[in-house]
Amino acid sequence: MTLRDQISFSLIAITRQRFRTIMQLVAMAIGVLAVVLLTGLGEGGRQYVLTEFSSLGKDTILLLPGRKETSGGMPPLSGEGTRDITLDDATSLLRLRNVERIAPLVVGNTSISAGNRSRESLIIGTNAAFFAVRKLEVRQGKILADIPLNQTQPDCVIGAQLKHELFGPRIAIGQWLKLSQYRCRVIGILADTGTGLGINMSDALIIPVANAMQLFNTEGLFRVMIDVRSVQAIPALISNIEQQMTMLHDGQLDVTVTTPDSLLTAFDNILLVLTLAIAGIGGISLIVAGVLIMNMTVISVSQRSAEIGLLKALGASSHEVKILFITEASMLSVCGAALGLVTAEACLWLARQQFPDVPFHAPWWASVTAVGVAAGTGLLFAWLPARRAAAQAPVLALQKRGGK
Amino acid sequence: MIDVKGVHRTFILGDQPVHALNDIHLHIDKGEYISVMGPSGSGKSTLLNMLGLLDVPDDGEYWLAGKNTVPMSEEQRAAFRRDHIGFVFQSYHLIPRLSARENIELPLMLAGIAPSERRRRIDPVLKRLGLIDRAGHKPEQLSGGQRQRVAIGRATIMNAPLLLADEPTGNLDSQAGEEVVNLLEELNHNGTTLIVVTHDTDLGLRAGRRIRMVDGRIVEDNRA
């Protein structure tokens, strides 16, 4: 039998038994689709979490008021709890070795109005260094001026979304905004940077830290971000900061110094669990897909053992019979797997259009194993019954089921 | 042409061994017309399958076209079937998705014959079978008699010298059966050795040589 005849015989088998072909293609495609789609969704979620936490630079240290650990000793009798981190505390950190820059942070919500439009929004009180720490850029105008931390100045930089909501297409730079009883002038508009650590910067209004302290009537900072000159200096600097703060706070260590890196380490466990969960989902859907494909193939080949017997009676060798069924199974497997892969990628593409923040992409290993397992199972379970039927005396295969 | 010497074939049915062929000796010359009759379970179908190399004897020798086929490998037997033997089954055994022409073409395709040569050989066969205007039909669109004629076309397309028919008229009405038998006898007149297994006494009596089997043994072997 020539190769051309083998292929045309298999093509006839595929195209003239539409129902069976469609069922097998669907089984194959759903198998691949399930694996690729599920791992793609899972991996998208994992990547999203990962980027959220790595949006803070690795060379940034965070200083937070309060301390989680119980330090032993007497409970504070005077009723004086943890002390605030003041602007003076923050400024003093600049004197430490290896500190590149610091950005104090006061965060709150208040209503903002421009003309007759008004809106509740996130207010971030900070300084010029904040833009460098968070790698923020302005799309228009300029960033906050580099002024002493305790000096107020009625300037503000607003996020792109906020600008759109307050001003629409009108020019915002130079306009005045009202923040409860205070006023500030828009000097810059942030470039679109998306979200980071749950703070959507495009919704935020950034003002000098001293203004924010007046606005929210507070003495304490929400936190201080400290940029380090070199990553190697971080461990030494952390203890230096702790010493400095202990000294400034009358011998009590009532602040927490942490790095986003250590946050990341803490979240590593979560990410690991997520990764394992995705692998598990992928594995289970692979097994389900495999069983589905196995069933469809075994049934469709077994139903044709009479045909195998006939082909042998007409003089086909067992080898030729096996080749015929393998050719057919390969064509079906390749088409089914491709169909599944294309559908899965299309679904993931749709998901990305719907949620642009989440990178829904199937990991390459999932696509490769899905296609491999689908095609492999399809071939193996076409080959096994075909081999069994081909190995029998033709009379037995013929008796299995009377052909027409 | 055929020499069967001391052939035995035993099946296990449940836990009972069934001696389907018990010490069969048979000599058949080229061009003979033989009917094999006997009650159900007498071993006549087993004899036909064995003669057609679809089944292998447990013991004995089966010489076909000058070769002992018993020690052959399954692959060698397949090639031998292709070149020497044509089958006609009671239930036709056509491939349902293939048209009448493609079913007849199948042995030529398996033998690796080029498409142009295949067409050249099939057209006259279709004409002789009266299937020219049915060539593109699937088996399900054909009557029983037409299906059996397609099967005969398939069995003879390789010009095999031995034609084996297992109850060829079993599923047909008398008129269609008569047509099929006429066709088989015409092939026999042209030199093909024809062996027909049947329950039908009338059909059996038309053969030049009638073999009767009971319990795996040949009990009568008469020439008309």
Side-chain angles (χ1 to χ4, degrees):
Chain A
M1 198 170 184
T2 61
L3 182 68
R4 224 189 94 191
D5 285 333
Q6 276 165 11
I7 290 173
S8 82
F9 186 84
S10 302
L11 269 180
I12 286 177
I14 288 171
T15 51
R16 293 207 192 149
Q17 290 167 300
R18 285 214 194 96
F19 182 71
R20 184 182 69 90
T21 302
I22 289 170
M23 291 312 283
Q24 270 195 283
L25 281 181
V26 165
M28 200 81 75
I30 283 184
V32 174
L33 176 75
V35 177
V36 175
L37 200 53
L38 286 175
T39 51
L41 292 178
E43 184 65 14
R46 195 181 81 93
Q47 287 296 336
Y48 178 72
V49 173
L50 197 65
T51 35
E52 280 292 284
F53 285 109
S54 54
S55 64
L56 282 171
K58 273 200 185 336
D59 48 359
T60 303
I61 294 177
L62 289 179
L63 176 63
L64 287 69
R67 197 157 178 87
K68 283 276 160 58
E69 298 104 312
T70 42
S71 52
M74 294 281 286
L77 292 173
S78 55
E80 130 193 9
T82 57
R83 279 211 248 170
D84 289 334
I85 300 172
T86 63
L87 282 180
D88 288 340
D89 294 341
T91 316
S92 75
L93 295 176
L94 277 172
R95 291 197 297 271
L96 292 173
R97 256 163 57 101
N98 284 325
V99 171
E100 172 90 41
R101 55 176 89 85
I102 62 147
L105 221 55
V106 171
V107 174
N109 267 294
T110 193
S111 80
I112 309 169
S113 49
N116 52 1
R117 297 199 198 190
S118 112
R119 195 166 178 287
E120 187 81 8
S121 173
L122 175 75
I123 313 290
I124 298 172
T126 185
N127 63 348
F130 176 75
F131 294 85
V133 174
R134 284 298 301 266
K135 299 174 180 68
L136 293 173
E137 279 169 13
V138 285
R139 183 175 81 185
Q140 231 184 323
K142 53 188 192 222
I143 62 169
L144 294 180
D146 193 7
I147 52 173
L149 290 184
N150 54 12
Q151 188 182 323
T152 62
Q153 190 165 324
D155 287 346
C156 60
V157 175
I158 60 178
Q161 176 71 23
L162 188 62
K163 186 262 163 188
H164 179 74
E165 286 172 11
L166 289 175
F167 295 101
R170 288 180 294 124
I171 293 170
I173 304 280
Q175 301 296 311
W176 287 89
L177 294 178
K178 230 170 129 279
L179 313 176
S180 44
Q181 71 268 45
Y182 297 93
R183 295 203 317 155
C184 68
R185 201 166 51 96
V186 179
I187 59 163
I189 297 160
L190 287 178
D192 220 343
T193 50
T195 56
L197 261 182
I199 300 175
N200 187 353
M201 295 303 295
S202 90
D203 246 357
L205 179 125
I206 304 171
I207 54 176
V209 64
N211 294 55
M213 290 172 116
Q214 280 181 5
L215 181 63
F216 298 118
N217 191 24
T218 172
E219 287 289 304
L221 296 172
F222 172 60
R223 62 186 53 176
V224 181
M225 300 167 104
I226 302 148
D227 252 11
V228 186
R229 285 215 170 83
S230 81
V231 179
Q232 288 77 17
I234 287 178
L237 187 56
I238 287 178
S239 64
N240 284 349
I241 293 171
E242 284 179 350
Q243 277 172 21
Q244 172 110 347
M245 293 306 293
T246 311
M247 199 180 74
L248 289 170
H249 286 190
D250 301 331
Q252 219 181 357
L253 180 58
D254 55 4
V255 294
T256 304
V257 185
T258 179
T259 59
D261 218 26
S262 63
L263 270 177
L264 271 181
T265 326
F267 279 102
D268 256 3
N269 285 329
I270 297 174
L271 291 174
L272 181 68
V273 171
L274 271 176
T275 310
L276 288 178
I278 294 159
I281 290 169
I284 291 168
S285 44
L286 264 182
I287 292 173
V288 173
V291 171
L292 187 71
I293 295 165
M294 179 185 86
N295 276 321
M296 282 305 301
T297 328
V298 166
I299 290 170
S300 82
V301 176
S302 304
Q303 274 179 344
R304 285 160 69 189
S305 58
E307 185 182 322
I308 292 177
L310 174 75
L311 287 172
K312 291 193 69 182
L314 296 180
S317 66
S318 317
H319 178 70
E320 279 174 326
V321 169
K322 276 181 277 184
I323 293 279
L324 279 180
F325 277 78
I326 291 291
T327 311
E328 195 184 315
S330 326
M331 289 180 182
L332 276 176
S333 300
V334 168
C335 294
L339 190 67
L341 204 57
V342 168
T343 318
E345 288 299 337
C347 290
L348 289 176
W349 181 81
L350 277 179
R352 287 196 296 272
Q353 300 302 304
Q354 207 64 38
F355 306 97
D357 287 345
V358 193
F360 290 115
H361 280 288
W364 65 268
W365 55 262
S367 306
V368 169
T369 30
V371 171
V373 166
T377 334
L379 280 182
L380 180 68
F381 289 97
W383 182 68
L384 285 180
R387 189 187 65 152
R388 207 183 47 214
Q392 281 175 338
V395 62
L396 289 178
L398 271 174
Q399 281 163 354
K400 279 280 165 55
R401 193 180 62 100
K404 284 206 174 120
Chain B
M1 181 188 190
I2 287 177
D3 239 327
V4 177
K5 296 176 183 169
V7 157
H8 289 265
R9 182 77 174 103
T10 311
F11 297 111
I12 306 293
L13 263 183
D15 51 359
Q16 286 274 300
V18 177
H19 219 143
L21 295 180
N22 192 352
D23 196 25
I24 301 288
H25 291 266
L26 196 59
H27 177 85
I28 299 170
D29 286 321
K30 192 167 159 34
E32 278 197 86
Y33 177 12
I34 298 170
S35 66
V36 181
M37 313 233 308
S40 293
S42 61
K44 52 191 194 306
S45 285
T46 310
L47 177 66
L48 198 75
N49 289 334
M50 199 268 296
L51 290 174
L53 298 175
L54 294 178
D55 205 354
V56 189
D58 299 325
D59 197 12
E61 292 175 13
Y62 170 27
W63 292 78
L64 176 63
K67 291 225 170 66
N68 183 8
T69 61
V70 178
M72 282 184 179
S73 72
E74 182 53 41
E75 306 290 90
Q76 284 172 306
R77 269 195 291 273
F80 227 71
R81 276 196 294 271
R82 190 181 67 202
D83 297 333
H84 293 92
I85 304 166
F87 293 95
V88 176
F89 303 98
Q90 177 179 5
S91 51
Y92 325 128
H93 278 305
L94 300 179
I95 294 185
R97 63 175 178 277
L98 299 181
S99 67
R101 169 186 285 276
E102 287 162 340
N103 267 293
I104 296 174
E105 192 178 4
L106 205 51
L108 297 173
M109 202 163 108
L110 289 170
I113 291 166
S116 55
E117 167 73 5
R118 302 205 291 246
R119 212 168 308 119
R120 201 182 60 73
R121 280 164 73 165
I122 293 168
D123 285 340
V125 171
L126 282 171
K127 195 172 284 174
R128 195 170 72 223
L129 296 170
L131 289 169
I132 279 286
D133 54 340
R134 287 273 181 271
H137 288 53
K138 305 276 171 57
E140 60 186 13
Q141 299 164 310
L142 299 173
S143 71
Q146 288 168 334
R147 289 182 203 182
Q148 198 59 298
R149 278 185 274 156
V150 173
I152 292 170
R154 185 181 62 193
T156 55
I157 194 74
M158 291 292 288
N159 295 319
L162 176 60
L163 188 56
L164 304 174
D166 191 355
E167 303 275 10
T169 58
N171 284 351
L172 302 177
D173 61 42
S174 58
Q175 203 207 324
E178 179 67 25
E179 281 173 25
V180 163
V181 173
N182 286 339
L183 208 52
L184 290 174
E185 288 175 352
E186 191 188 318
L187 289 163
N188 174 245
H189 284 308
N190 294 336
T192 307
T193 310
L194 175 65
I195 304 178
V196 181
V197 163
T198 185
H199 270 109
D200 181 349
T201 322
D202 290 343
L203 175 57
L205 290 174
R206 292 169 72 147
R209 180 178 170 189
R210 299 147 204 163
I211 290 174
R212 191 169 169 75
M213 288 189 73
V214 174
D215 292 339
R217 290 174 187 277
I218 294 178
V219 292
E220 279 176 49
D221 189 349
N222 298 326
R223 280 162 209 270

